[in-house]
Amino acid sequence: MTKPTIALLGTGLMGAPMAANLCRAGYPLRVWNRTRTKAEPLAAQGAQVCDSAAEAVAGVDIVISMMADGPTTAAVQAEPDLRAGLKAGALWIEMASVKPEEARAQAADLAKLGLRHLDAPVSGGTKGAEGAKLAIMVGGEAEVFAEAEPVLSAMGRPVHVGPSGSGELSKLANQSIVAITIAAVAEAMLLLEKGGANPAAVRDALKGGFADSTILQQHGQRMTEGNFVPGGLTKFQVKDLDNVLAEAAGLGLTLPTTHDVNERFRHLCDAMDGGDMDHSALYLELKQRNGLV
């Protein structure tokens, strides 16, 4: 059976390895990025590098959007040339972290053009993207998810979580858990370091225990080694937590821990120029609080 043709829009830290995995799985792929040089290395993987989003999506079966945020996707989606080239019956999959309401607005807009839509944000960072081990939370119609599942499985582990917007809502919950856990791990690593224990040995001792997590093992190591080369950007963590708090407010909820951690990430971005660091750099904000940097 012929594999569907795919266009992937946005080949940044996450989009590029996701595109590479689609190529390795044998999907005919076109890629586009505003900065073309970020997309060009994918030509060696077999992807067709396009000069415009409209060129990339023209006539393809599936469009995957992995751009910076909802407004960026909306602006690209509104381009007349792009809309004219979309294939009726095609599927648009929003895989970036956008607001649930933005995902639902995308779906409604594309439906006018005869397209289907899924919102399928991911978690797992660049390591998950590179290893095709992303957690993929998918909102939309179950029948459409079943059709897209083989494609999504080339990039990770997709799970259908509910109707349109549910994938993005799940990602917001994920980001709240991630941010709060980073804060907890930072406090633990600093306590170990200042108390004289070996943080690496303690992380090893905790493997498989109730406190173990990917964040403890990966970001705990980053913190103690001072390695904040970005996998997940701090400025995107703030964006996601802003979205969490906005969604909570719309539901009449107060999320105090998420709010407090977001203020700390915002301080890291604005006062410490850490927006382009990995989000594990919250460790530096903690050290500053304690007069250690």
Side-chain angles (χ1 to χ4, degrees):
M1 185 174 176
T2 304
K3 289 182 179 288
T5 54
I6 302 173
L8 191 146
L9 311 178
T11 57
L13 287 171
M14 297 292 288
M18 291 164 66
N21 284 324
L22 289 170
C23 288
R24 280 191 279 272
Y27 287 99
L29 183 68
R30 301 177 195 169
V31 294
W32 170 80
N33 195 76
R34 287 188 186 277
T35 305
R36 183 186 168 96
T37 53
K38 291 184 178 180
E40 286 174 346
L42 290 162
Q45 304 278 348
Q48 176 186 342
V49 181
C50 298
D51 290 321
S52 68
E55 178 188 354
V57 307
V60 300
D61 300 308
I62 298 174
V63 179
I64 295 175
S65 172
M66 196 60 186
M67 291 179 279
D69 52 30
T72 301
T73 301
V76 171
Q77 192 177 304
E79 294 175 3
D81 289 348
L82 180 144
R83 295 172 79 83
L86 289 169
K87 178 181 177 181
L91 170 61
W92 187 295
I93 308 177
E94 177 59 79
M95 299 193 74
S97 297
V98 307
K99 296 177 181 178
E101 66 203 56
E102 291 171 333
R104 291 189 287 268
Q106 281 185 26
D109 179 56
L110 291 166
K112 299 173 186 176
L113 303 177
L115 275 75
R116 287 93 45 75
H117 184 273
L118 295 172
D119 52 289
V122 303
S123 179
T126 52
K127 287 190 176 182
E130 290 161 3
K133 294 181 178 179
L134 292 168
I136 307 174
M137 301 147 275
V138 189
E141 295 181 2
E143 297 80 4
V144 179
F145 167 74
E147 178 185 328
E149 190 171 8
V151 172
L152 296 171
S153 294
M155 297 175 280
R157 187 177 65 89
V159 176
H160 184 242
V161 295
S164 181
S166 296
E168 298 296 348
L169 183 63
S170 300
K171 179 60 186 289
L172 293 183
N174 176 87
Q175 291 305 87
S176 184
I177 294 169
V178 166
I180 292 166
T181 306
I182 287 174
V185 168
E187 292 184 7
M189 293 303 102
L190 186 59
L191 180 68
L192 293 169
E193 179 184 329
K194 297 303 292 182
N198 181 334
V202 174
R203 291 195 303 273
D204 185 53
L206 295 178
K207 282 182 179 177
F210 203 54
D212 195 16
S213 68
T214 301
I215 292 173
L216 173 63
Q217 298 302 333
Q218 291 187 9
H219 285 352
Q221 181 177 358
R222 280 176 170 272
M223 292 169 185
T224 54
E225 293 178 355
N227 172 19
F228 304 115
V229 175
L233 290 171
T234 293
K235 62 185 178 184
F236 291 158
Q237 184 74 69
V238 172
K239 178 204 74 171
D240 290 342
L241 293 180
D242 284 345
N243 289 344
V244 171
L245 295 170
E247 188 72 13
L251 296 170
L253 299 175
T254 299
L255 305 180
T257 308
T258 300
H259 176 272
D260 292 347
V261 171
N262 193 34
E263 289 302 305
R264 293 179 56 197
F265 274 111
R266 191 178 298 282
H267 179 78
L268 175 61
C269 281
D270 298 342
M272 300 178 66
D273 198 26
D276 289 321
M277 291 182 179
D278 188 81
H279 52 181
S280 58
L282 191 66
Y283 186 64
L284 298 178
E285 188 273 348
L286 179 64
K287 291 184 77 173
Q288 185 190 67
R289 279 174 175 260
N290 284 276
L292 299 174
V293 292

